[in-house]
Amino acid sequence: MDDAIWELPVRGQLPAGPDPVLVEGLRRVSSATACAKLHAQGIRRTFIEGPRPIAQGQKIAGRVRTLQFMPQREDIASGLGQEYVERHTALWAVLETIEPGDVLLVQAYGSAYTGCFGDMLVRYFKRKGGAGIVVDGRIRDLPRVSGIGLPLWTTGATPHYASQAELFPWAYDVPVAVGGALALPGDLCVADDDGAVVVPRRRAASVLEAAADHEQWERYSRARIEEGGALSDYYPLTPETRAEYERWREVKESQ
């Protein structure tokens, strides 16, 4: 391996796409519920800490694609040349392979000086049919990006382009650490106003099943509390109120 230089961009493996019915179901599940149900299964670090939605009311679910930034080392990669260099990196490469419904998760170490995406790249991602982007770092061209209407979670804005500071787009479709959470290509991501959550691919079906029951009994509890019910009786349900809920659900399902 003497004098060997990595050939960039590095590309990992991408599993086949998830069941569309499963993805559609997850679009009805809140990030809070997904996070709680994964925690109940022993999967504790799923919340992507840091990125916040650039607009309220955004809600997405989709297959995870990943983009990994790495520290620059000038003998291999630097930001000199701006877009003329970046067009040959993982940043451009992952955009060319985005499929409809994909959610791109970006590992950028929360950097305040790396503008991972700007106006043109976000427009292209949306045109390719991507569902949304979650960036553990910054973006630039915020006013224009906000007007595109693509659901996007980020830690803020910066005037820098992607390789102007200390990082460089290195790899895509590889495991990444995003806001303290591990994300693998082919996992699922659910994101809304509370933030973004990684749903492991093999847990998605069980999360959806558990979430359906959880959100239904929460609606029941919310209605009972609004009618004057005691919080200690209805949140969470006690054995007695759970039986009451089950009877109510049977009536609803028979109608």
Side-chain angles (χ1 to χ4, degrees), residues 50-244:
R52 301 298 305 159
I54 64 172
Q56 294 298 301
Q58 302 179 129
K59 175 70 174 74
I60 61 170
R63 177 179 66 169
V64 166
R65 305 292 303 277
T66 65
L67 172 63
Q68 178 197 63
F69 280 75
M70 294 286 277
Q72 290 191 24
R73 206 179 84 182
E74 286 75 8
D75 65 320
I76 299 177
S78 75
L80 297 178
Q82 196 174 346
E83 286 93 344
Y84 296 98
V85 170
E86 288 179 359
R87 69 170 59 175
H88 302 294
T89 69
L91 177 55
W92 257 246
V94 73
L95 290 177
E96 295 295 357
T97 64
I98 289 296
E99 297 180 7
D102 284 345
V103 178
L104 183 59
L105 304 189
V106 183
Q107 173 183 308
Y109 309 95
S111 171
Y113 302 101
T114 299
C116 301
F117 283 87
D119 173 25
M120 296 298 186
L121 301 189
V122 172
R123 287 180 190 277
Y124 192 66
F125 179 88
K126 184 178 181 182
R127 200 203 82 187
K128 296 278 286 186
I133 303 174
V134 181
V135 182
D136 183 20
R138 303 291 178 97
I139 63 169
R140 63 174 178 165
D141 303 329
L142 184 58
R144 288 194 182 94
V145 169
S146 298
I148 293 171
L150 180 81
L152 201 153
W153 287 253
T154 177
T155 61
T158 178
H160 287 189
Y161 57 84
S163 57
Q164 186 172 346
E166 79 278 24
L167 301 179
F168 193 84
W170 182 270
Y172 66 106
D173 290 339
V174 297
V176 294
V178 186
L182 172 66
L184 306 180
D187 282 340
L188 285 299
C189 179
V190 173
D192 55 25
D193 288 340
D194 284 341
V197 169
V198 178
V199 179
R201 182 183 181 90
R202 294 180 179 177
R203 302 291 181 123
S206 61
V207 166
L208 181 58
E209 182 179 356
D213 176 70
H214 180 95
E215 296 199 343
Q216 189 172 28
W217 74 251
E218 275 202 344
R219 286 195 295 271
Y220 175 78
S221 294
R222 193 175 295 115
R224 290 295 178 263
I225 290 170
E226 289 287 346
E227 293 169 356
L231 180 64
S232 58
D233 288 337
Y234 288 100
Y235 195 77
L237 294 174
T238 66
E240 292 77 16
T241 54
R242 178 78 195 193
E244 177 186 311

Side-chain angles (χ1 to χ4, degrees), residues 10-26:
V10 174
R11 180 177 186 176
Q13 298 294 317
L14 181 66
D19 181 351
V21 175
L22 180 61
V23 176
E24 183 60 33
L26 286 174

